[in-house]
Amino acid sequence: MVVVRKSLLIFVIVTVMIQKNAMAAQHVVGGSQGWDESADFKSWASGQTFKVGDTLVFRYNPGLHSVVELEGDSSYKSCDISSTVNSMSAGNDVVKLNKPGTRYFACGTAGHCDQGMKLKIKTVTGSAPSNQADSSTPSSSSAASHCFSTTFFTFIAAILTVQMALVFLL
C-alpha cells in the first residue's frame, strides 16, 4: 500500500510539472507581422502579459534583421546597439523569460532601431495564463498539437507510475 501511495504522489508531481510547462505562453513578437519594420512593437507589447516561464519568439528574415538584447533603458532609448547582453541572427530566435524584470530588444541592423524596431517588455511573476491574444493566433492544428502533447505526456507519466508501482511490488 505504501508503494501505491508513493507512486500516486510521483504521478501527481509529474502531472503538475507537465501542466505548469503547458501553461507557459509563447509570444511571437510583432504577431503575424513578426520582427519587421512594419510592426508596431510598442502597441503589440502593451496588449501582452509576459510572465516568468513564457517565451518570446522573434521571426524574421535573417538576411535583413537580427535581434540584440540591450543592457538597459538608456541603450534602448538611444538605440545604442553596441552594448548588448545577447545577439541572435537565426531568424526564429527564442528567448526564455526566466525572471521578473524589464528587458530590452532591438534590431541589430544599422538604422532599424531608430526606425522603431525595438521592444521593451516587463516580465512579471504569476500563476494565471499569459495573455497572448495579439501575439500570434495559433492555428487549430497548433492548438490540437499542444493539447495532444500535454495529454500524451500525462499518459506517459501515468504509465511510468504504474510501472514503478509494479516494480516495487515484485
Side-chain angles (χ1 to χ4, degrees):
M1 194 61 161
V2 172
V3 173
V4 174
R5 285 185 187 159
K6 284 182 180 179
S7 296
L8 183 58
L9 178 63
I10 291 170
F11 172 73
V12 169
I13 290 170
V14 169
T15 303
V16 168
M17 289 172 39
I18 290 170
Q19 293 300 325
K20 182 177 180 185
N21 286 337
M23 296 287 289
Q26 183 180 67
H27 303 274
V28 177
V29 176
S32 60
Q33 294 172 306
W35 185 240
D36 188 77
E37 301 101 329
S38 63
D40 180 354
F41 298 107
K42 188 174 185 178
S43 175
W44 173 82
S46 70
Q48 307 298 308
T49 302
F50 304 100
K51 297 193 176 191
V52 172
D54 289 357
T55 56
L56 296 178
V57 179
F58 291 87
R59 292 188 181 144
Y60 57 93
N61 183 334
L64 297 175
H65 305 294
S66 66
V67 179
V68 293
E69 183 169 358
L70 305 172
E71 288 183 345
D73 195 52
S74 62
S75 297
Y76 173 79
K77 287 179 179 175
S78 66
C79 284
D80 178 9
I81 59 172
S82 65
S83 57
T84 63
V85 174
N86 190 15
S87 181
M88 299 162 278
S89 58
N92 192 30
D93 304 313
V94 178
V95 175
K96 177 93 169 166
L97 303 177
N98 52 10
K99 62 183 178 180
T102 303
R103 293 177 75 174
Y104 308 89
F105 301 91
C107 182
T109 303
H112 288 195
C113 179
D114 293 316
Q115 295 172 3
M117 213 170 154
K118 59 184 182 176
L119 174 68
K120 175 181 178 179
I121 64 151
K122 182 174 181 175
T123 305
V124 297
T125 57
S127 58
S130 298
N131 173 9
Q132 323 178 64
D134 296 326
S135 62
S136 179
T137 306
S139 65
S140 59
S141 64
S142 171
S145 172
H146 179 1
C147 180
F148 169 77
S149 66
T150 302
T151 304
F152 175 75
F153 286 120
T154 304
F155 176 71
I156 294 299
I159 289 174
L160 290 174
T161 303
V162 169
Q163 185 178 14
M164 285 184 352
L166 291 174
V167 166
F168 286 123
L169 288 174
L170 298 177

